[in-house]
Amino acid sequence: MEKNKNEKKSTNRRNFLKLGLMSSVTAVAGASLISNLASDEELKASGEKIRLLTPDGKVVEVDASNINKYPEAHITPAEARKGIPNRKFVMVIDLARCKNARKCVEGCQKGHKLDHGEEFMKIQLIQDNPDAEPYWFPKNCMHCDEPPCVTVCPTGATFKRDDSIVLVDTERCIGCKFCITSCPYSARQFNWEHKAKYDDKSQPYSPETSVPGAEGTVIKCDFCPDMLRQGKLPHCAQSCPMGVIYFGDKNEDIVTNGEETVRFSQLIKDRAGYRHLEHLGTKPNVYYLPPVNKQFPLERGFDIDEEIIERYKDVPYVQELKKQGKL
């Protein structure tokens, strides 16, 4: 039964990626896929039909073989600084659904060619007070509207786009680490040494992908703008099996986790959504839904491997779980 349920969820997620959210495709897609259609002379019809939304709001049906997959279209550093027009991307994380499956971490690592120890998405164990039960807290770059990292960068390597995304241009980064020290969310990492993967020049460099990387530069979560241009969810949202991560366009007031599409404003209102460390005035574009009526017991999040238990071995709550034989 559980297997069938998971298979159904996986199918639904693929359908989302295929249909582009149907009538709300432009809420997630940076540029309509309609504009990337290839000519009939170049491709043979597959017989599979895909429904897409045109820029003027009409739903049309096209053959799947006519869709240009888009990754071959290179976004230059200059284009990357402009952002995707008329969009304001936003992420919502439902803490009640998270069980530390770590699929979001793995999906992000694979998509950005990160090493095992490099994590743009970090899953932390949070306890608000001694009397409350801890909960899992996914944390990535908040893509703030008032980002201190951008303010302190002396070269303009770190920049904010009109679509709310904050990126790092490694071709301008001098490795001063000012942005790292100014970020209150500890969202940035530093490439301390050269790695063989940096020598792969098969893919032209763009700040939108951060690939290939470079020694002596800063890296971080980028909201996967290259995926957004294809009408797809970021790697973390795609990979989560529990539907924890919603992503969408604040301008159109729509977010989705691949299973359901909802009004962003209504979701935040109904679930008392909040922003992490909002009192600092950074105006993050990542919102959290409180861990009320959690779907999974906390100890389910420790059954990944011994490394996870080792991370939190000094936490009193974890030590108590060990005494009770739950870990």
Side-chain angles (χ1 to χ4, degrees):
M1 186 72 171
E2 184 67 24
K3 180 179 179 182
N4 291 336
K5 184 178 180 182
N6 290 336
E7 288 178 348
K8 181 179 179 181
K9 285 186 176 182
S10 178
T11 301
N12 289 340
R13 192 171 301 277
R14 287 194 296 271
N15 286 340
F16 158 72
L17 298 176
K18 183 184 297 183
L19 299 179
L21 263 184
M22 292 290 291
S23 63
S24 58
V25 62
T26 54
V28 180
S32 173
L33 293 181
I34 270 293
S35 63
N36 298 316
L37 295 181
S39 68
D40 291 336
E41 296 178 355
E42 297 174 341
L43 299 170
K44 294 181 179 180
S46 67
E48 179 185 3
K49 300 298 181 181
I50 295 179
R51 287 169 287 182
L52 300 173
L53 185 70
T54 65
D56 59 356
K58 297 179 180 179
V59 176
V60 298
E61 207 172 64
V62 299
D63 193 272
S65 63
N66 288 331
I67 301 295
N68 184 341
K69 300 304 181 182
Y70 200 90
E72 67 272 19
H74 175 55
I75 303 300
T76 66
E79 291 174 314
R81 286 181 173 267
K82 298 177 182 178
I84 301 173
N86 305 316
R87 301 293 169 220
K88 184 171 177 58
F89 295 112
V90 63
M91 179 178 288
V92 181
I93 298 177
D94 189 349
L95 299 176
R97 296 188 180 196
C98 185
K99 67 170 186 177
N100 193 31
R102 300 188 64 76
K103 297 301 181 182
C104 60
V105 178
E106 295 170 4
C108 177
Q109 289 174 324
K110 181 178 180 181
H112 292 92
K113 299 183 180 180
L114 301 176
D115 293 338
H116 174 71
E118 295 176 327
E119 298 179 359
F120 287 171
M121 177 68 80
K122 301 178 177 67
I123 312 298
Q124 299 180 334
L125 185 63
I126 299 292
Q127 186 172 22
D128 294 325
N129 63 74
D131 297 320
E133 182 182 75
Y135 54 91
W136 297 110
F137 188 87
K139 185 168 73 72
N140 55 336
C141 174
M142 301 294 165
H143 295 273
C144 308
D145 281 341
E146 298 293 340
C149 56
V150 172
T151 303
V152 301
C153 180
T155 65
T158 290
F159 60 95
K160 182 169 182 62
R161 315 193 315 180
D162 292 339
D163 56 12
S164 82
I165 295 178
V166 176
L167 295 179
V168 179
D169 185 348
T170 58
E171 291 186 339
R172 291 195 182 191
C173 182
I174 59 175
C176 66
K177 308 183 191 68
F178 287 175
C179 62
I180 294 178
T181 58
S182 70
C183 176
Y185 303 103
S186 301
R188 293 171 173 248
Q189 301 172 53
F190 191 73
N191 288 328
W192 289 98
E193 58 186 3
H194 180 76
K195 299 178 181 179
K197 61 183 179 181
Y198 299 161
D199 295 326
D200 181 8
K201 306 299 182 181
S202 60
Q203 178 178 341
Y205 168 74
S206 170
E208 290 203 349
T209 61
S210 302
V211 176
E215 178 184 0
T217 59
V218 173
I219 56 175
K220 72 172 192 69
C221 153
D222 54 20
F223 265 8
C224 304
D226 56 322
M227 301 290 287
L228 302 181
R229 290 186 186 274
Q230 300 176 55
K232 297 181 179 180
L233 288 170
H235 292 293
C236 58
Q238 277 193 41
S239 303
C240 178
M242 312 316 302
V244 172
I245 303 173
Y246 292 79
F247 194 87
D249 185 356
K250 194 173 183 179
N251 286 343
E252 292 200 0
D253 197 25
I254 293 177
V255 291
T256 181
N257 61 2
E259 300 294 334
E260 58 179 335
T261 303
V262 297
R263 290 292 178 188
F264 165 75
S265 59
Q266 198 65 41
L267 181 63
I268 297 302
K269 179 181 179 180
D270 294 345
R271 294 285 306 279
Y274 68 95
R275 299 188 289 189
H276 187 44
L277 301 181
E278 187 168 7
H279 64 280
L280 297 178
T282 55
K283 299 181 182 179
N285 280 299
V286 176
Y287 289 73
Y288 289 90
L289 306 181
V292 179
N293 299 323
K294 291 190 298 181
Q295 296 186 8
F296 305 97
L298 182 70
E299 51 265 30
R300 286 281 297 274
F302 289 100
D303 58 5
I304 307 299
D305 52 44
E306 288 298 322
E307 179 188 352
I308 302 303
I309 299 178
E310 182 67 18
R311 290 188 185 191
Y312 306 102
K313 64 180 180 181
D314 297 326
V315 178
Y317 191 88
V318 175
Q319 294 176 345
E320 182 61 29
L321 289 178
K322 288 183 177 180
K323 290 181 181 179
Q324 297 175 11
K326 294 182 178 180
L327 291 182

